[in-house]
Amino acid sequence: MTRASQPGDRKSSVELIVGQLRAEILSMRLLPGTRISEQDVADRFGVSRQPVRDAFNRLEGMDLIVIRPKRATEVKRFSLRSIEKSRFIRAAVESAVLRQAALHAGDADARRLDAHIAMQRRALADRDHAGFARLDYEFHELLCDIARRPYAFDVIRAEKQKVDRLCLLSLEKQDRMQQLIDDHLAIADAIKAHDADAADRAGMVHLSRLDETIRTIHATSGAYFEPDEADIAENETAF
């Protein structure tokens, strides 16, 4: 039995492969539709094919790759249907969170919002796209905390992760950080003013920012999307 085939070593190998490939997929270093083989990955990490197979199963469970028997495994393409479903669920939860945050926000919460916006501005000044993406997650988690509904972030995070790659394309290709910071500021100001309606409106504007990006990327990089969904892109005006 080789060292890589020992149970403990195989588990650590699986974790390593999952972590590395996940990072490469989410950062778009591995583009949607890219073919990846068990043997190539095994050779790259110096392991047998079994931990690679286990890692691929994990990545498929994360909705990041597609495993097809006797066909090439590939990085999962974007699905407009899945995006539409995800955006609907997230909008419903975010709306409730923002209204509750406006109701519950106190002085300490206002200071936390201000401090977080300041960190986002620093990321913009440094052109730190990855750092800003992390701060965006933290901002929405903070809103759930202010709303006294921390568990809501579990849903928001799960749905947000489904469009992370598109968000990264949006930030890097269109330099949207300033616009998103302005959205966050509008949300924060409404919450600090205890204006639930304004917070809700600002939140929905914020979520809509990706709509045009989705349509643009679909038009210019259609190979990144599932091939049977062109009708959705043509007929849908908002996701």
Side-chain angles (χ1 to χ4, degrees):
M1 182 178 289
T2 65
R3 186 176 187 278
S5 62
Q6 295 290 340
D9 292 332
R10 188 164 76 188
K11 181 177 179 181
S12 61
S13 295
V14 171
E15 295 294 337
L16 176 64
I17 295 166
V18 168
Q20 185 63 37
L21 293 183
R22 180 178 182 273
E24 291 176 8
I25 292 169
L26 292 180
S27 67
M28 298 292 284
R29 282 176 284 165
L30 282 175
L31 295 171
T34 299
R35 294 183 176 185
I36 51 178
S37 76
E38 286 184 6
Q39 190 59 58
D40 287 346
V41 174
D43 291 344
R44 173 183 171 185
F45 287 91
V47 297
S48 67
R49 293 179 66 166
Q50 185 57 53
V52 176
R53 193 169 295 121
D54 293 343
F56 278 13
N57 287 332
R58 290 264 303 276
L59 290 165
E60 186 177 47
M62 296 176 187
D63 214 27
L64 294 176
I65 67 171
V66 179
I67 300 173
R68 291 176 231 176
K70 299 182 180 180
R71 295 178 60 188
T73 294
E74 66 177 37
V75 177
K76 187 161 186 179
R77 300 170 196 264
F78 299 123
S79 165
L80 295 177
R81 291 184 177 90
S82 295
I83 292 169
E84 181 182 10
K85 176 183 175 182
S86 175
R87 301 290 296 285
F88 180 84
I89 293 170
R90 184 181 169 191
V93 175
E94 289 264 17
S95 176
V97 164
L98 292 170
R99 289 184 170 278
Q100 289 295 308
L103 176 66
H104 292 292
D107 292 342
D109 296 316
R111 290 192 292 272
R112 294 165 70 195
L113 287 168
D114 291 342
H116 206 280
I117 297 292
M119 288 191 290
Q120 294 174 38
R121 293 190 190 281
R122 285 196 292 274
L124 172 62
D126 294 339
R127 299 190 62 80
D128 181 2
H129 296 102
F132 184 84
R134 174 181 54 78
L135 288 168
D136 187 49
Y137 265 88
E138 292 177 1
F139 181 74
H140 289 278
E141 185 174 18
L142 174 58
L143 295 176
C144 293
D145 190 53
I146 293 172
R148 313 301 189 255
R149 301 292 188 272
Y151 48 82
F153 186 66
D154 293 338
V155 177
I156 292 169
R157 176 173 50 205
E159 300 307 322
K160 194 174 185 308
Q161 286 175 344
K162 295 175 184 177
V163 296
D164 270 351
R165 291 182 291 166
L166 280 168
C167 290
L168 185 60
L169 282 175
S170 172
L171 289 175
E172 292 184 346
K173 290 193 173 183
Q174 299 185 33
D175 203 12
R176 301 286 287 275
M177 284 193 285
Q178 182 61 65
Q179 185 180 59
L180 297 182
I181 290 173
D182 291 342
D183 287 349
H184 290 169
L185 184 59
I187 291 169
D189 286 346
I191 288 172
K192 290 187 290 183
H194 305 290
D195 189 335
D197 289 339
D200 192 3
R201 286 194 301 271
M204 295 309 101
V205 168
H206 179 58
L207 292 183
S208 75
R209 296 298 186 192
L210 197 57
D211 294 346
E212 184 58 35
T213 298
I214 292 170
R215 284 188 285 269
T216 299
I217 294 172
H218 188 276
T220 59
S221 304
Y224 291 172
F225 290 79
E226 294 294 339
D228 61 341
E229 297 188 325
D231 57 318
I232 298 179
E234 293 173 358
N235 296 326
E236 288 288 342
T237 57
F239 293 92

